[in-house]
Amino acid sequence: MNYDYQKECYDANPHCKLHYSHGIPRIESNLYYLHYDENLIIEYMRKGEVSKRIEGNIYTIGEGDLIITVPSELHVAIKTEECYVERLSLHVSESLLSAFGGDRTVFFDTIVGKQKGVGNLIIAEVVKEQGIDILLNQCLEYAKKGTLEAQVLMNCKVIELLSKLVNLAQTSSPDDMVTPSSNKNVNEMIDYINRHYTEDVTLDILAARFHFSKYYISHLFRDYVGVSPYEYLITRRLYLFNDLVRQKQP
C-alpha cells in the first residue's frame, strides 16, 4: 500500500466540493496552520486518528467519527505521531439552498450559529446509527462520476445529510456532546477577543483584565490554540474582512 499522502479533489458543482485524502500527512501541510474556511466543512474519518484545535478546544477524532467546522471557527490540526489516515471532507456552501428561495435558516443557521468550538464532534456510533457514513460514501461516488445526473443526486444526498445534522443539533442536550480538552481561562480570553477584535486588544490588556502574566497567557495560547494571542487576533480580523468582501460580491 502506498502511504504517501494523497488528496483527490472533486468540485462536484458550485455548491459542494469533496476531498478524499489518504496516507500519512506531511508535517509541512497547511493543515498545521491556524485557518478558517469559507464553507461548512464536514469531515469523516474512515481510518486513523487525528487531533484538532477548534477555538481553543482540542478534539481527538478517531475512526468512524465526524468533525464539523463552521465558517467562523478558527481551527488547526495538531502535529502528532505519523499514522495512516483516510478521510472524506465535504465542503458545503450556503448557496446550495439558493434554488429553494435562498432560505438557509433551517439547514445552516442551526449548525453555523452554534457556540464556537462546542459540539463539533459526532462519535462513530451516532454517525453509523444515523447512516451519515453511507451518505458521505455515496457523495464520493457521485463526485467521482461528475455527470449532471450525479451532481443533482449528490446535492440531494448533501441536503439529506444536513437535515440529519440539524436534527441532531436540535435534539441533543449538552450532556450528549463530546467534551473536548479545554482550558477555562483560554476559552474566556478567546471569547473576549471574539467580542472585541475590532478594538485595540494587546497582550498587556489581556494580562491586566485576566490577572495573568503575559508569559503565562502566551504559553496557554500556544498549548490550546496553537498560536499566540496576537496571531489569533489577526486571523480573526482577516476572517471579518474576507466575510465583508464576500457579502459585497454580486
Side-chain angles (χ1 to χ4, degrees):
M1 180 182 290
N2 183 7
Y3 288 101
D4 292 335
Y5 191 70
Q6 301 177 49
K7 179 185 287 187
E8 301 170 16
C9 301
Y10 301 98
D11 293 345
N13 55 62
H15 318 296
C16 301
K17 300 179 182 180
L18 197 147
H19 299 166
Y20 168 53
S21 55
H22 51 90
I24 300 176
R26 299 182 299 274
I27 294 300
E28 65 271 18
S29 168
N30 61 6
L31 294 173
Y32 300 111
Y33 295 90
L34 186 70
H35 64 286
Y36 57 84
D37 296 283
E38 296 181 357
N39 300 318
L40 174 69
I41 309 297
I42 301 168
E43 185 174 346
Y44 171 56
M45 289 295 300
R46 275 181 162 181
K47 293 182 180 179
E49 180 180 288
V50 299
S51 295
K52 277 190 174 182
R53 293 186 180 99
I54 304 178
E55 294 289 340
N57 292 331
I58 300 176
Y59 288 93
T60 299
I61 307 107
E63 186 169 321
D65 291 342
L66 192 80
I67 193 79
I68 300 171
T69 51
V70 305
S72 60
E73 287 181 318
L74 301 182
H75 57 278
V76 59
I78 300 176
K79 298 175 183 178
T80 56
E81 294 183 5
E82 292 186 348
C83 69
Y84 179 84
V85 299
E86 184 178 342
R87 55 189 164 196
L88 300 179
S89 297
L90 179 63
H91 299 229
V92 185
S93 169
E94 63 182 57
S95 63
L96 173 66
L97 301 178
S98 59
F100 302 94
D103 182 4
R104 57 190 278 272
T105 302
V106 173
F107 288 108
F108 272 85
D109 286 356
T110 302
I111 303 173
V112 174
K114 71 177 186 60
Q115 182 181 346
K116 290 182 177 62
V118 176
N120 295 80
L121 181 64
I122 301 176
I123 60 174
E125 289 80 359
V126 176
V127 171
K128 194 168 188 64
E129 177 185 291
Q130 295 290 323
I132 294 174
D133 54 338
I134 295 175
L135 289 173
L136 285 168
N137 287 325
Q138 289 174 330
C139 285
L140 178 60
E141 293 176 8
Y142 292 137
K144 286 182 175 180
K145 289 181 179 179
T147 63
L148 176 60
E149 178 185 9
Q151 290 182 30
V152 174
L153 290 172
M154 180 173 173
N155 281 348
C156 293
K157 295 299 179 182
V158 173
I159 292 174
E160 183 179 354
L161 171 60
L162 290 175
S163 179
K164 288 180 178 291
L165 295 178
V166 168
N167 182 64
L168 284 173
Q170 292 176 334
T171 58
S172 298
S173 67
D175 293 336
D176 296 327
M177 296 181 182
V178 176
T179 302
S181 174
S182 62
N183 182 284
K184 180 182 178 182
N185 296 322
V186 172
N187 292 340
E188 289 177 350
M189 285 185 277
I190 286 178
D191 181 64
Y192 178 83
I193 294 174
N194 287 339
R195 288 186 287 108
H196 298 276
Y197 60 89
T198 59
E199 305 169 13
D200 185 25
V201 180
T202 66
L203 195 54
D204 286 322
I205 289 175
L206 291 176
R209 181 174 182 83
F210 292 97
H211 309 291
F212 295 121
S213 71
K214 292 187 290 184
Y215 171 81
Y216 182 69
I217 291 175
S218 297
H219 178 73
L220 281 180
F221 262 75
R222 288 290 181 185
D223 282 350
Y224 286 91
V225 186
V227 296
S228 69
Y230 177 75
E231 290 171 304
Y232 179 87
L233 174 64
I234 293 301
T235 309
R236 173 59 66 200
R237 286 174 174 170
L238 284 174
Y239 171 78
L240 173 64
F241 174 78
N242 289 333
D243 190 48
L244 291 173
V245 171
R246 289 196 301 271
Q247 291 177 18
K248 291 181 180 179
Q249 292 177 345

